[in-house]
Amino acid sequence: MNHYLIAKIIGLILIIEAVFMLPSLIIALYMGDGSARGFIFTIIILILVGLATRFIETKHKNLAPADGLVIVSYAWISVSIFGALPLMVDMNMSFADSFFEIVSGFTTTGATVISNIESFPKSLILWRSVTHWIGGMGILVFTVSLLPKLGIRGFQIFKKESPGPVKGKIDSTIADTAKKLYLIYIVITFALFVLLFVAGMNPFDSIVHTLGVVGTGGFSSKNDSITSYSTPIVFIMSVFMFLCGNNFSIYYSLYKKRFKEIITNEELRLYIILIFGAIFLISLDLYKNGYSNPFDSFRDATFQVTSIASTSGFVSKDFDIWPSFSKYILFVLMFIGSCAGSTAGGLKVIRIVVLVKSIKREIRRVVHPRAVLPISLNGRILSEELVQGINGFFGIYVMVFVFSVGLITLTGVDLVSSMSSVATMLSNVGPGFAAVGPTRNFADFNNFYKLYFSFLMLLGRLEFFTILALFSRKKYLKEIK
């Protein structure tokens, strides 16, 4: 394992984090809100640690798979610890609360332990939302685009950090791929900011909610999230949550006019069916069970379906008081999430596609036990290794979910609260149901459970294997080099 190179890359990531803190520091100084001290303190530490690693000399500049795994895991933990310092210094929040809040930000979960966010300085509100934007596309993907300048190959980082089972390049090099993905990311961010501002949001709220939507995070500058905003804003955010739940490579294909790739994309087709099917069913259920206006039921259903499916977690209505069938659909979407290659969390639609095909294949094998039945996706045959990896992912997801639900029930909360709290952590959604519903938060849990929830958020964002492999023996890390 290339320990020196690992330290050097993590140092670069910490410097990047310091740069992203600068806008919040500028606002703190400009407004004199008393939060500048925490940002100055943190930025100085980040720069000192980061610069110290620049003097490390490395003989080899290639990364093995084990190196990429360690970099990704340690980097996410490091940026979360340092990112929590402003909350600890300026708001006197405990480490468990601060760490939970910032992990929730970087993993784009959007769950919170803060009951009155409107009482916080705007600089800290902005920093929370900036963590969404950084974590959405991945600070490591951004780092990968810089590595070639250091003579370092970064594909192992890209593979471990990018969400979804299939890692692909849209350009000849990973660095160029990262740059193009971020260009798409920035264009969508700018477009949403302009639309929200034109629709009536003030500039600060437009920035906060833009960062939350594009990063599919969910942190708001308001205590009631989106409930007080107008219908045009609700629909604008719904459209962009839907777009950001899609695979970003689709937009590159659209730019290149590769329409056949888009039309034949099986994940995209199922994603559209799931979203519009859920909107239709919930709209109908709401209209039949209390809503007098079909447009209102359609508006609220559209927003909450796109919010939960994209794992953004914004709230326009208290969906915890909706009919059971509507809540059931949202609960299912909470698990599925959106597409691979998006900023969203969840199991990913592409895994559902492959799982369904795996089940169909096993049924056919009962009739034709000796038949060779490969599984294809978008016209390409998938390797058995990939199929087994997806099946293994489902297995470990279920095991972690079952164990965690049992652990949370020891706090005394009801089963619905326990199940939805674990689901929303693993899928990086944000709000759940009952005790962790859209009008509640996670403040009532003790420090142990807040740290455990933070662990679950990291597990979900890095899709289990990256984090869990660190708990394996060193022999395993040697084997995957």
Side-chain angles (χ1 to χ4, degrees):
M1 188 174 295
N2 198 336
H3 297 285
Y4 295 123
L5 184 57
I6 290 172
K8 199 164 188 174
I9 293 175
I10 291 178
L12 173 61
I13 291 170
L14 295 180
I15 291 176
I16 293 173
E17 183 180 20
V19 172
F20 277 109
M21 277 191 181
L22 290 177
S24 297
L25 173 59
I26 292 172
I27 288 180
L29 292 172
Y30 176 76
M31 301 193 69
D33 57 17
S35 62
R37 182 182 59 169
F39 286 111
I40 293 173
F41 173 73
T42 306
I43 289 172
I44 289 174
I45 292 178
L46 287 169
I47 292 176
L48 289 177
V49 174
L51 289 179
T53 64
R54 310 312 304 154
F55 297 100
I56 298 175
E57 295 185 3
T58 57
K59 295 181 180 179
H60 306 289
K61 294 192 175 183
N62 289 328
L63 294 172
D67 297 332
L69 184 150
V70 171
I71 289 170
V72 170
S73 300
Y74 286 177
W76 276 87
I77 295 171
S78 298
V79 296
S80 297
I81 291 174
F82 285 108
L85 290 180
L87 292 174
M88 296 173 64
V89 173
D90 293 319
M91 302 305 297
N92 294 319
M93 291 175 63
S94 68
F95 172 76
D97 284 348
S98 302
F99 187 70
F100 177 98
E101 199 73 17
I102 296 303
V103 168
S104 180
F106 277 121
T107 59
T108 71
T109 303
T112 184
V113 294
I114 299 172
S115 299
N116 185 15
I117 188 60
E118 293 180 32
S119 67
F120 271 52
K122 286 189 174 181
S123 55
L124 288 172
I125 295 175
L126 177 63
W127 171 237
R128 287 200 325 157
S129 296
V130 168
T131 60
H132 277 338
W133 198 84
I134 298 172
M137 184 60 71
I139 189 172
L140 304 183
V141 176
F142 180 75
T143 303
V144 164
S145 66
L146 301 177
L147 293 182
K149 296 180 180 179
L150 304 176
I152 300 169
R153 298 173 61 184
F155 185 56
Q156 298 303 335
I157 299 178
F158 187 85
K159 288 201 300 181
K160 296 294 185 300
E161 203 276 340
S162 301
V166 181
K167 318 299 182 194
K169 295 190 291 184
I170 61 176
D171 215 314
S172 57
T173 66
I174 288 296
D176 288 338
T177 296
K179 291 175 182 177
K180 284 183 170 59
L181 286 174
Y182 255 102
L183 179 61
I184 295 170
Y185 198 51
I186 291 170
V187 169
I188 292 176
T189 300
F190 179 75
L192 177 56
F193 169 76
V194 171
L195 288 174
L196 290 179
F197 178 70
V198 171
M201 269 194 185
N202 65 57
F204 181 77
D205 287 347
S206 296
I207 292 173
V208 168
H209 292 97
T210 292
L211 298 177
V213 168
V214 179
T216 61
F219 280 152
S220 174
S221 54
K222 303 295 183 182
N223 293 328
D224 60 0
S225 191
I226 307 300
T227 58
S228 60
Y229 286 107
S230 65
T231 295
I233 288 175
V234 167
F235 278 115
I236 289 170
M237 292 181 65
S238 299
V239 169
F240 275 83
M241 285 188 290
F242 171 79
L243 293 176
C244 292
N246 190 22
N247 192 322
F248 274 59
S249 65
I250 292 292
Y251 305 126
Y252 185 74
S253 297
L254 186 64
Y255 170 73
K256 288 292 186 178
K257 298 181 180 180
R258 299 171 184 167
F259 301 118
K260 186 177 179 181
E261 292 181 10
I262 300 173
I263 295 172
T264 59
N265 190 290
E266 296 181 58
E267 182 185 32
L268 177 60
R269 288 206 299 265
L270 180 57
Y271 176 59
I272 293 173
I273 291 171
L274 286 172
I275 295 295
F276 286 93
I279 290 173
F280 172 76
L281 291 174
I282 292 180
S283 297
L284 187 62
D285 190 41
L286 293 178
Y287 183 60
K288 290 176 62 178
N289 292 279
Y291 274 67
S292 59
N293 188 330
F295 177 79
D296 290 342
S297 64
F298 172 74
R299 177 197 60 205
D300 293 345
T302 298
F303 186 89
Q304 286 311 148
V305 165
T306 53
S307 178
I308 297 299
S310 68
T311 70
S312 296
F314 286 106
V315 177
S316 64
K317 293 291 180 181
D318 183 4
F319 57 79
D320 200 29
I321 62 175
W322 282 4
S324 295
F325 181 66
S326 294
K327 291 195 289 185
Y328 164 74
I329 294 175
L330 292 179
F331 191 57
V332 172
L333 293 176
M334 193 179 291
F335 282 98
I336 296 174
S338 290
C339 300
S342 69
T343 59
L347 290 169
K348 302 294 187 304
V349 175
I350 194 170
R351 289 195 176 98
I352 304 300
V353 173
V354 175
L355 180 65
V356 171
K357 291 189 175 189
S358 297
I359 294 172
K360 290 171 63 177
R361 180 174 68 172
E362 294 309 310
I363 294 174
R364 291 180 62 189
R365 275 181 173 168
V366 173
V367 181
H368 306 286
R370 296 185 179 181
V372 177
L373 303 171
I375 294 177
S376 62
L377 183 70
N378 301 330
R380 298 179 181 179
I381 295 177
L382 301 180
S383 67
E384 285 302 310
E385 181 183 5
L386 179 59
V387 175
Q388 290 173 9
I390 290 175
N391 293 335
F393 182 89
F394 277 102
I396 196 168
Y397 189 104
V398 171
M399 286 191 292
V400 172
F401 177 79
V402 171
F403 171 81
S404 298
V405 169
L407 185 63
I408 302 306
T409 57
L410 295 177
T411 64
V413 300
D414 61 274
L415 186 59
V416 172
S417 300
S418 299
M419 292 178 66
S420 64
S421 65
V422 174
T424 197
M425 293 292 107
L426 291 177
S427 293
N428 306 129
V429 177
F433 298 99
V436 292
T439 61
R440 308 284 293 274
N441 59 38
F442 290 78
D444 292 336
F445 290 93
N446 64 35
N447 288 343
F448 169 79
Y449 284 100
K450 288 172 184 174
L451 293 176
Y452 185 74
F453 280 136
S454 301
F455 172 69
L456 292 182
M457 286 187 276
L458 288 169
L459 271 184
R461 178 60 179 83
L462 299 179
E463 305 202 320
F464 295 95
F465 295 111
T466 302
I467 289 287
L468 291 179
L470 290 181
F471 293 90
S472 302
R473 297 178 179 178
K474 293 182 179 180
K475 178 181 178 182
Y476 173 74
L477 293 177
K478 293 179 180 179
E479 288 175 351
I480 64 174
K481 285 186 178 181

